[in-house]
Amino acid sequence: MRILVINPNTTASMTAKIGEAAASVASDATEIVAVNPADGPPSIEGYFDEIFAIPGIIAEMAKAQADAYVIACFDDTGLDAARCATEAPVIGIGEAAFHMASLVAGKFSVVTTLARSVPAIEHNLAKYGLASRCAKVRSSDVAVLELERPGSNARHRISQEIARAIREDHAEAIVLGCAGMADLARSLSEEHGVPVLDGVVCAVTLAESLFKVGLKTSKIGGYAAPRGKRFAGIFAPLSPAG
């Protein structure tokens, strides 16, 4: 099968890291293609950035057909819109990580980047019906692009927040709340002695499972294909055929 992993921001180094994490758990028969849009924000930190990333997600899906798609932003940016655009499974890394954490722990905490990202994650937990399984969503006060900067102390600050989550929240597992943390999960799990989940690998694993059993996105109701119409201006190339 072929999985298109879309990093919704424009930072190519992060896309490469995400692609490596995805490939590390994919089966030998799975082709991982990691991409990012050419236009949009270099990082997604809150509701404002999110809006400008969604057209790029849809554009990347239109360029390359795949058997499944992974939206590699922990806010699950554009996930509902992406599911309207295809019958193939579309997995958000946030939703995937929440579900997997709930299978290995009674309570989990999320450690994300900046405080402005906390409300969106809390909203998604409630939307997915998993808010009661999450002890707390925590900010490590690490900007997304710090994760890409050599010599940054981002990992140390994330680790400190994980320790607080275990001590204060009584969290039994930790979900890393940013795709840019994809390379940290294994070492942080070993350091703290609890499951530490990265959403990228969770999403790829679930995408392969859905493909294997032949499940596709329902086209009845909210995820129905968009009605044909002509968009104006810069969005004209994304006009749905209907």
Side-chain angles (χ1 to χ4, degrees):
M1 71 173 297
R2 187 171 195 259
I3 300 177
L4 187 69
V5 181
I6 304 172
N7 170 22
N9 71 48
T10 61
T11 301
S13 61
M14 190 177 299
T15 304
K17 181 195 303 183
I18 289 167
E20 289 174 5
S24 73
V25 295
S27 66
D28 292 340
T30 298
E31 177 188 7
I32 298 291
V33 180
V35 299
N36 61 259
D39 302 314
S43 61
I44 299 173
E45 296 169 311
Y47 297 124
F48 189 82
D49 294 338
E50 180 179 22
I51 292 300
F52 294 97
I54 295 174
I57 295 171
I58 304 303
E60 291 302 321
M61 292 178 68
K63 289 179 187 177
Q65 294 298 308
D67 298 303
Y69 300 84
V70 168
I71 306 300
C73 173
F74 196 80
D75 293 354
D76 291 342
T77 298
L79 179 58
D80 289 329
R83 285 176 173 163
C84 294
T86 181
E87 290 187 347
V90 184
I91 312 295
I93 66 170
E95 187 173 16
F98 298 149
H99 280 292
M100 283 207 174
S102 72
L103 297 176
V104 298
K107 287 278 188 178
F108 61 87
S109 285
V110 178
V111 174
T112 190
T113 50
L114 300 178
R116 66 177 60 220
S117 295
V118 171
I121 294 170
E122 291 177 334
H123 172 82
N124 284 346
L125 282 160
K127 175 182 174 181
Y128 303 147
L130 291 170
S132 65
R133 302 297 296 275
C134 181
K136 189 170 184 178
V137 180
R138 289 176 164 270
S139 164
S140 60
D141 198 29
V142 170
V144 171
L145 294 180
E146 285 188 67
L147 297 163
E148 302 303 300
R149 191 172 69 235
S152 164
N153 71 343
R155 187 196 181 280
H156 174 69
R157 286 145 66 191
I158 293 164
S159 180
Q160 286 184 315
E161 202 61 39
I162 290 174
R164 281 189 283 268
I166 295 169
R167 183 176 64 251
E168 298 172 11
D169 308 343
H170 305 290
E172 301 160 23
I174 301 296
V175 172
L176 296 178
C178 178
M181 300 177 184
D183 58 334
L184 304 179
R186 181 169 297 180
S187 67
L188 288 169
S189 180
E190 292 172 354
E191 178 180 343
H192 293 281
V194 299
V196 176
L197 291 86
D198 159 53
V200 174
V201 301
C202 293
V204 167
T205 302
L206 288 176
E208 286 187 323
S209 298
L210 290 172
F211 177 77
K212 184 176 181 179
V213 298
L215 290 175
K216 296 184 178 182
T217 301
S218 175
K219 295 290 107 178
I220 297 175
Y223 293 147
R227 292 170 58 85
K229 63 188 73 173
R230 183 68 178 172
F231 290 175
I234 61 173
F235 298 121
L238 299 178
S239 300

